[in-house]
Amino acid sequence: MAIASNGPQGHLNGKVGNLVFYMLNGQPVVRLIGRKGKPSTLQLANYQEMAVTTKLLKRMAGFIKLGYGLQARGTVHNAHNLATSYHKKQALKGEYPNISIDYSKVKLSQGVMPETADLNIKKLAGGLEITWDPKDYAGLQDNDSVMVMICCPETGKDQEYLNVARRSEGKCFIPMYENLLNQQIEPYISFISADGERVSDSVYLGNLNGEGQNAAEKQQQEKYQQVKTRFDQVEGSYSAQMIANYGERPKTKVFKYLEKEYQALKNQLEHLPGKPG
């Protein structure tokens, strides 16, 4: 049952039939509910895109809050909404069921502050050194704060620094253990004014150590290979019986079960992530 808390002309709150009325960020919203049918490939792709995007942003929540917070002011959106919309549309690659993050297109902040010149990163013993031009220019101040995000896709041991240095310092050092220093690293840097009223677009500092595999990807590949091995076995038996019966389907229970498993495995492989290449 829906309630009109503001009178007959007010916004409803609750359920009417297969409609649900509620408030979202101060705005009246209505959505349709009902029994879901079998999802299409496009729907499955959309689900995976959202899952991949959500998993990425969850790892950098503090950065996103600062990096998109100013842009969200005065709107019905919040920082997470804006970041989700951008990354789902612009920072993914691959086709379902192998959709993944394109780290070169990740944007952890968006703002009006001009880009800082001469940004560089290099590996040193015990960590990473990031350098930039410390001079003052129009729109850039020496007391601007430096924000750094170090993404480690293989282990998920990301490092988020929301005030690691001042612009005037011209560099910062990010300590890392040797084993982490030699894995896939995706680094980003942003600058934010001391009063928090202006932020720059984040800058991708470039991949270090090439692309590796995270634990989830390894698990997906192992699962795919297990299913593929079983499918090859079943397909061999299925094909042999069809050939022996001159292309006609044998009318036996054994073949019926074999064919059912063959079709199920074939369909599973079409939608299973972890396919090589």
Side-chain angles (χ1 to χ4, degrees):
M1 179 182 71
I3 299 174
S5 56
N6 296 317
Q9 303 302 318
H11 175 66
L12 296 175
N13 183 30
K15 181 180 176 183
V16 177
N18 64 344
L19 298 176
V20 175
F21 299 82
Y22 59 99
M23 299 296 290
L24 178 64
N25 293 330
Q27 298 293 311
V29 176
V30 60
R31 65 180 176 86
L32 180 68
I33 60 173
R35 182 176 296 177
K36 291 184 178 180
K38 184 178 180 180
S40 66
T41 300
L42 284 177
Q43 287 175 314
L44 291 172
N46 183 57
Y47 297 156
Q48 189 179 39
E49 288 171 354
M50 181 58 72
V52 170
T53 301
T54 300
K55 184 177 180 180
L56 171 75
L57 299 183
K58 186 178 180 180
R59 293 156 49 191
M60 46 194 66
F63 214 115
I64 293 299
K65 185 176 181 179
L66 289 175
Y68 285 82
L70 292 173
Q71 192 178 344
R73 281 187 188 175
T75 74
V76 297
H77 304 290
N78 58 43
H80 183 77
N81 294 151
L82 295 176
T84 299
S85 177
Y86 168 81
H87 288 89
K88 187 169 179 286
K89 293 176 183 177
Q90 306 293 338
L92 300 180
K93 63 181 180 180
E95 301 290 335
Y96 175 80
N98 294 304
I99 296 170
S100 60
I101 298 296
D102 183 343
Y103 285 95
S104 68
K105 295 180 180 177
V106 167
K107 282 281 185 187
L108 302 185
S109 64
Q110 291 186 338
V112 298
M113 185 183 289
E115 184 175 320
T116 297
D118 297 332
L119 289 164
N120 292 287
I121 186 170
K122 63 181 178 180
K123 291 199 298 182
L124 299 176
L128 301 171
E129 183 182 73
I130 303 173
T131 59
W132 59 87
D133 183 352
K135 299 187 185 70
D136 283 359
Y137 294 97
L140 307 178
Q141 303 297 323
D142 60 4
N143 64 345
D144 293 337
S145 293
V146 182
M147 303 193 299
V148 171
M149 184 77 210
I150 305 296
C151 293
C152 303
E154 291 184 79
T155 62
K157 294 183 177 180
D158 307 321
Q159 299 184 39
E160 187 180 54
Y161 299 90
L162 303 182
N163 187 10
V164 70
R166 296 294 184 204
R167 181 187 297 279
S168 59
E169 296 176 53
K171 65 180 180 180
C172 65
F173 183 76
I174 307 297
M176 296 184 74
Y177 290 115
E178 195 67 25
N179 62 322
L180 298 179
L181 195 56
N182 291 318
Q183 67 176 302
Q184 178 184 353
I185 296 174
E186 307 291 352
Y188 304 86
I189 187 171
S190 295
F191 294 82
I192 187 169
S193 61
D195 60 6
E197 293 298 316
R198 300 171 72 248
V199 67
S200 71
D201 284 0
S202 66
V203 175
Y204 175 57
L205 296 172
N207 168 272
L208 298 176
N209 305 320
E211 290 192 13
Q213 285 185 320
N214 59 40
E217 289 171 335
K218 291 177 182 177
Q219 189 175 29
Q220 288 173 351
Q221 287 195 353
E222 290 173 1
K223 174 65 175 177
Y224 181 91
Q225 194 55 53
Q226 290 173 359
V227 176
K228 180 67 166 60
T229 298
R230 178 57 184 165
F231 174 76
D232 290 342
Q233 295 170 348
V234 172
E235 183 184 37
S237 299
Y238 178 84
S239 299
Q241 291 199 38
M242 289 292 288
I243 292 171
N245 209 46
Y246 303 101
E248 296 292 330
R249 296 169 62 252
K251 297 179 180 179
T252 64
K253 278 189 175 181
V254 173
F255 182 81
K256 187 178 293 185
Y257 289 133
L258 178 67
E259 185 176 46
K260 185 176 181 180
E261 184 179 10
Y262 168 76
Q263 294 294 348
L265 290 169
K266 184 178 180 181
N267 182 66
Q268 189 177 357
L269 283 177
E270 290 176 355
H271 299 92
L272 200 64
K275 185 176 181 179

